[in-house]
Amino acid sequence: MLSPRLSRVPSPRDGLWPRRLLAAALAAGAAGVILAGLLRVPEVGASVVSAAVWSSIGVRWLTGRWWPRRDGQLRWRERVGGLDRIEPGLVARRSLAGWADLVAEWVVLIVIGSGLLASLPPQARWADIVRPVLAVGVAAWLGRTVYEQARFTGQLALTAGAIRHGRTVLGWSNIDRVSPHRRDGRLNGVRLRPAVWQSLRPAPVVGGRDTAVPEDRLIAAIEEHRHDPQALVAPRPEVRKGPFLYTRR
């Protein structure tokens, strides 16, 4: 079900370059700020580093167990920035829990990186080489996440070309059954059972805790359009079908 990229080299006429450049600028700015802060980390004791690291990991664990209510709606947009092109479609934003997870992951990575930098011996010659390399690596990783958040429209999008969740792109043509997906006894996403199994990997799952649209609305939207995804190009001003509701924006 995974759809291949249309080309390895982005086309200069795909309409995505303004968004790519904006996302790159935001990512570079965030990475620069983080890098400057990491290079100024003072030397601290091992006990402080250990406490900070384990505290951040504990916070990340707690955010993963937080399940706030999700009642978002799919919104139709004329310009949805996808992987290889811009096209109309339905967009679901990232949920509050998804943002909390993302921020917690940033905090954990920054704390671990800062702890490693703070534990380097100040007089060792090899530390002068390791310190900037480690700082650049952490800053680049966080900059990459900023780039992806700015680069794509919404956490999940349904367009005529494909279903996109994050960077994962799934084609419409091989969907046989749409059903709720459960994880740890909770509804967490929508399982798209392929009509033809092309690999031994499990059926892909889209949506879930990091998406603001609940499973019942997402299932209804996919069922509405999986036999005619071209209807997403110019939908009616307002559509309601069971729990599925979206509005033009």
Side-chain angles (χ1 to χ4, degrees), residues 43 120-128 131:
E43 183 181 0
L120 293 175
Q123 304 301 327
R125 184 171 299 180
W126 61 268
D128 294 335
R131 183 174 289 106

Side-chain angles (χ1 to χ4, degrees), residues 7 9-18 20 79 84-86:
S7 61
V9 179
S11 169
R13 299 181 181 179
D14 62 7
L16 288 169
W17 283 102
R20 288 191 184 103
R79 294 176 60 83
D84 295 293
R85 54 186 166 177
I86 290 180

Side-chain angles (χ1 to χ4, degrees), residues 59-60 63 66 94-105 209:
V59 170
R60 176 65 186 90
T63 60
W66 182 43
R94 183 181 284 272
S95 67
L96 186 60
W99 282 114
D101 288 346
L102 189 61
V103 171
E105 288 174 4
R209 181 176 166 278

Side-chain angles (χ1 to χ4, degrees), residues 187-238:
L187 284 179
N188 190 16
V190 175
R191 183 175 180 266
L192 306 179
R193 185 179 186 276
V196 178
W197 291 84
Q198 300 172 346
S199 71
L200 297 178
R201 292 180 298 181
V205 176
V206 298
R209 181 176 166 278
D210 63 349
T211 306
V213 176
E215 283 73 16
D216 55 353
R217 292 182 184 176
L218 185 55
I219 289 173
I222 295 174
E223 289 285 9
E224 171 79 8
H225 293 101
R226 71 186 181 98
H227 296 297
D228 184 21
Q230 292 299 322
L232 289 164
V233 174
R236 297 185 294 278
E238 183 172 296

Side-chain angles (χ1 to χ4, degrees), residues 49-72:
V49 172
S50 179
V53 169
W54 283 109
S55 296
S56 64
I57 293 175
V59 170
R60 176 65 186 90
W61 182 84
L62 289 174
T63 60
R65 269 62 185 167
W66 182 43
W67 287 76
R69 182 181 177 184
R70 293 177 295 133
D71 56 359

Side-chain angles (χ1 to χ4, degrees), residues 7-154:
S7 61
R8 291 185 178 275
V9 179
S11 169
R13 299 181 181 179
D14 62 7
L16 288 169
W17 283 102
R19 194 173 189 109
R20 288 191 184 103
L21 294 175
L22 175 61
L26 293 174
V33 171
I34 294 167
L35 178 61
L38 290 174
L39 292 176
R40 289 178 171 80
V41 172
E43 183 181 0
V44 296
S47 60
V48 176
V49 172
S50 179
V53 169
W54 283 109
S55 296
S56 64
I57 293 175
V59 170
R60 176 65 186 90
W61 182 84
L62 289 174
T63 60
R65 269 62 185 167
W66 182 43
W67 287 76
R69 182 181 177 184
R70 293 177 295 133
D71 56 359
Q73 296 179 5
L74 288 157
R75 295 188 177 275
W76 186 86
R77 293 188 182 181
E78 187 176 358
R79 294 176 60 83
V80 178
L83 194 63
D84 295 293
R85 54 186 166 177
I86 290 180
E87 55 186 334
L90 297 171
V91 175
R93 61 180 174 82
R94 183 181 284 272
S95 67
L96 186 60
W99 282 114
D101 288 346
L102 189 61
V103 171
E105 288 174 4
W106 290 345
V107 170
V108 170
L109 187 57
I110 291 174
V111 169
I112 292 177
S114 300
L116 292 174
L117 291 170
S119 62
L120 293 175
Q123 304 301 327
R125 184 171 299 180
W126 61 268
D128 294 335
I129 300 175
V130 173
R131 183 174 289 106
V133 172
L134 180 59
V136 168
V138 173
W141 182 267
L142 293 173
R144 178 177 176 272
T145 63
V146 172
Y147 176 86
E148 291 190 353
Q149 292 304 312
R151 165 67 177 78
F152 298 104
T153 305

Side-chain angles (χ1 to χ4, degrees), residues 165-181:
H165 186 193
R167 292 185 64 89
T168 302
V169 178
L170 306 167
W172 289 97
S173 60
N174 197 28
I175 299 176
D176 176 58
R177 185 181 304 168
V178 182
S179 60
H181 172 71

